[in-house]
Amino acid sequence: MASRDPELKQPISTDTSVTDRAARAAAILRRESGLRRKLTSSQVSMIALGGAIGTGLFLGSALSVRAAGPGVILSYAAGAVITLLLMWALAEMAVAHPVAGSFGVYAEIYLHPWAGFVMRYSYWIAQVVAIGSEVVAAAIYCRYWMPGVPAWVFIVVFSVSLVYVNARSVANFGAFEYWFAMIKVVTIVMFLVLGLALLFGVGFQRIGFTNYTGHGGFLPHGWLGVGLGIAMAIFSYLGTEIVAVTAGEAGDPDRAVPRALRQTLARLALFYIGGIAVLVGVLPWDQAGLAESPFVRVFQAAHIPAAAGLMNFVVLTAALSSMNCNLYLTSRMIFSLSRGGYAPRTFGKLSRQGVPLAALLVSSVGMFAALVMDKWLHETAYVYMLGSAFFGGLFVWMMIFVTHLIFRRRAPRGALRFAPPGPWSSLLGLAALTAVLVSTWWVPGLRITLQAGIPWLAFITLCYFAWARRRASGAVNLNDSEQS
């Protein structure tokens, strides 16, 4: 029996023949038309950097350092390789199908509607939770300068401001995020320069390289520590997939998307691997405290005046930049779900500026929910949601590799121009991410990933089957009424 596309008002065959599969894919892709292609290649690149470089690098890097010691350099290098495999897969599919629903749409076309449903909702809830945590963090940072001002004041101000930025137009969002992300890039470059100057003694007392092998050696916790450190490294690289989402609004996706993916990964690898290498060289790994940013310690070692205030401004900017990117991401995900018939139709409507305004507003609920949860539920429910969020990111990356394996079997030969020949790159990426997901059980602070993620996956799967049964029933009733 055929189901009905809510936007096209025509049956989409579930036949598995090549012709019908192509027609079904074309119908799915046409659903997301209407978004305006106003993002330039440079904006796409900076948006990806803004989404990937968050407070995890500036504040959470100590967790991976404590897990692996100086060997964390290898952890971040391995994370970069896994991300490269993902970029190859995403580039091929995003250029072939430049739509806002991106990997969720690809999974719906090449795997099953369940995959598209679960991936987009998992990603949406993960990013909504991230938005909530980031706005609370931003409020905490602001209290460094204005301790007497209640946190809710900052939350309201930041929430309204960023919703306004996203609501105006995608071009306005792109320009705003470009400069937001630039602050983080400049800060990391300054950090790398200062760190190297401290290591080599250029203008400062020379630290040298003793911290790489002292304090228990380069691998104080062995290769197991390096393996556990990969989990936090992957957490740092999450966000690079935003490039595929921007394909739906990129001015020239055939050129902008592959270029942005290459530039983003190259810069992230330099910033993350280089930044971590400098960090464990300047600061003994066993002194990387979890309560203070290791980046602040390095700036203090260089005797930079007001280092704490400077880094507080940077992490504030990092939080706001990530919020801005995640608002964009979540609004496009729920827009795509609506156009596919998986969410209320109002979320699929566009404003005069070409922005899915209702989708944007519903995606901002995490900002206000986070304040309530932080005040009344403390760590219990909120930490559980954060675990679901990390699981959502890993799950989406794994499903991207699975989708790419099927894409390579069905796509035209001319579309296969980024990843190496054969299925091996995606198989390797899938195996690596599976190992990372399992390893979170032994990483301090990340066990909640499996504890929260698996129940979430079961819940959203039940939601899909309930939706599918209701939709099938509606299609039967509609066919009966048409026949009568």
Side-chain angles (χ1 to χ4, degrees):
M1 181 180 295
S3 60
R4 289 184 175 270
D5 186 305
E7 291 298 317
L8 299 178
K9 307 298 183 183
Q10 62 184 11
I12 297 178
S13 172
T14 56
D15 195 315
T16 57
S17 68
V18 174
T19 303
D20 286 331
R21 279 204 309 263
R24 179 174 177 272
I28 291 173
L29 295 172
R30 285 198 301 272
R31 294 187 315 215
E32 301 196 11
S33 61
L35 293 170
R36 299 179 183 178
R37 298 190 176 275
K38 297 291 186 180
L39 294 176
T40 66
S41 178
S42 59
Q43 287 176 339
V44 169
S45 298
M46 292 302 286
I47 289 169
L49 283 175
I53 302 175
T55 54
L57 176 63
F58 296 112
L59 293 175
S61 51
L63 185 61
S64 54
V65 172
R66 294 297 290 266
V72 72
I73 300 171
L74 302 179
S75 300
Y76 274 79
V81 172
I82 296 172
T83 307
L84 174 63
L85 302 177
L86 185 90
M87 293 298 98
W88 282 340
L90 269 181
E92 286 192 340
M93 295 189 291
V95 170
H97 308 303
V99 292
S102 58
F103 39 80
V105 172
Y106 313 151
E108 182 178 354
I109 293 173
Y110 293 100
L111 298 179
H112 190 274
W114 168 87
F117 181 94
V118 172
M119 283 179 70
R120 277 175 283 188
Y121 267 115
S122 295
Y123 196 76
W124 183 77
I125 193 66
Q127 298 303 329
V128 165
V129 171
I131 291 170
S133 65
E134 286 154 359
V135 73
V136 171
I140 293 172
Y141 302 149
C142 286
R143 296 183 71 180
Y144 173 85
W145 295 293
M146 293 172 280
V149 179
W152 68 265
V153 174
F154 298 114
I155 289 178
V156 171
V157 170
F158 291 141
S159 300
V160 172
S161 299
L162 292 183
V163 168
Y164 174 74
V165 167
N166 277 265
R168 289 185 62 189
S169 70
V170 69
N172 181 74
F173 158 79
F176 193 82
E177 182 57 33
Y178 181 91
W179 294 109
F180 244 167
M182 184 64 73
I183 295 175
K184 293 188 286 189
V185 170
V186 170
T187 301
I188 296 175
V189 171
M190 289 175 55
F191 174 83
L192 292 174
V193 171
L194 283 172
L196 291 173
L198 287 166
L199 289 173
F200 289 97
V202 180
F204 302 94
Q205 183 176 355
R206 185 175 182 273
I207 294 177
F209 304 98
T210 57
N211 286 329
Y212 291 113
T213 54
H215 311 280
F218 185 73
L219 300 177
H221 298 146
W223 289 102
L224 177 61
V226 174
L228 295 179
I230 295 176
M232 280 305 298
I234 292 296
F235 184 77
S236 297
Y237 286 108
L238 288 176
T240 52
E241 68 282 345
I242 191 176
V243 176
V245 179
T246 62
E249 293 168 279
D252 184 5
D254 285 355
R255 296 180 57 188
V257 172
R259 180 182 177 186
L261 287 169
R262 288 193 298 268
Q263 292 179 349
T264 300
L265 181 58
R267 292 169 182 170
L268 283 179
L270 172 63
F271 293 159
Y272 284 152
I273 300 174
I276 290 295
V278 166
L279 182 64
V280 295
V282 174
L283 183 70
W285 71 268
D286 54 0
Q287 295 181 21
L290 300 179
E292 181 184 25
S293 169
F295 279 64
V296 173
R297 297 285 300 276
V298 172
F299 275 84
Q300 289 174 338
H303 302 291
I304 300 296
L310 173 64
M311 285 306 300
N312 195 67
F313 170 75
V314 171
V315 294
L316 171 62
T317 305
L320 295 177
S321 173
S322 295
M323 283 172 56
N324 198 37
C325 283
N326 287 335
L327 270 176
Y328 172 84
L329 277 171
T330 51
S331 62
R332 271 52 180 183
M333 283 293 112
I334 204 72
F335 164 82
S336 175
L337 285 162
S338 175
R339 288 294 181 95
Y342 305 113
R345 295 187 63 182
T346 187
F347 299 143
K349 296 179 180 179
L350 298 173
S351 68
R352 287 181 297 178
Q353 290 77 26
V355 174
L357 189 57
L360 173 63
L361 293 175
V362 75
S363 297
S364 65
V365 297
M367 295 177 173
F368 304 99
L371 179 59
V372 175
M373 298 181 74
D374 184 64
K375 183 175 180 61
W376 298 107
L377 300 179
H378 302 292
E379 296 182 359
T380 53
Y382 194 55
V383 169
Y384 198 77
M385 289 183 70
L386 285 176
S388 299
F390 188 31
F391 177 87
L394 287 176
F395 173 74
V396 165
W397 275 33
M398 293 169 69
M399 292 299 293
I400 288 172
F401 283 123
V402 174
T403 305
H404 186 244
L405 290 170
I406 307 303
F407 171 83
R408 286 220 133 198
R409 293 171 53 188
R410 297 181 180 175
R413 185 176 299 273
L416 309 180
R417 47 191 171 123
F418 296 104
W424 308 113
S425 62
S426 288
L427 286 174
L428 177 60
L430 181 60
L433 286 179
T434 302
V436 167
L437 180 60
V438 173
S439 75
T440 60
W441 187 257
W442 292 277
V443 178
L446 290 184
R447 178 172 289 191
I448 193 67
T449 300
L450 288 171
Q451 291 175 332
I454 293 176
W456 161 257
L457 186 58
F459 168 75
I460 197 64
T461 298
L462 289 175
C463 290
Y464 167 78
F465 285 120
W467 167 88
R469 175 177 293 183
R470 180 179 178 183
R471 188 177 186 182
S473 176
V476 170
N477 294 335
L478 180 59
N479 289 335
D480 292 341
S481 64
E482 287 176 350
Q483 290 173 3
S484 63

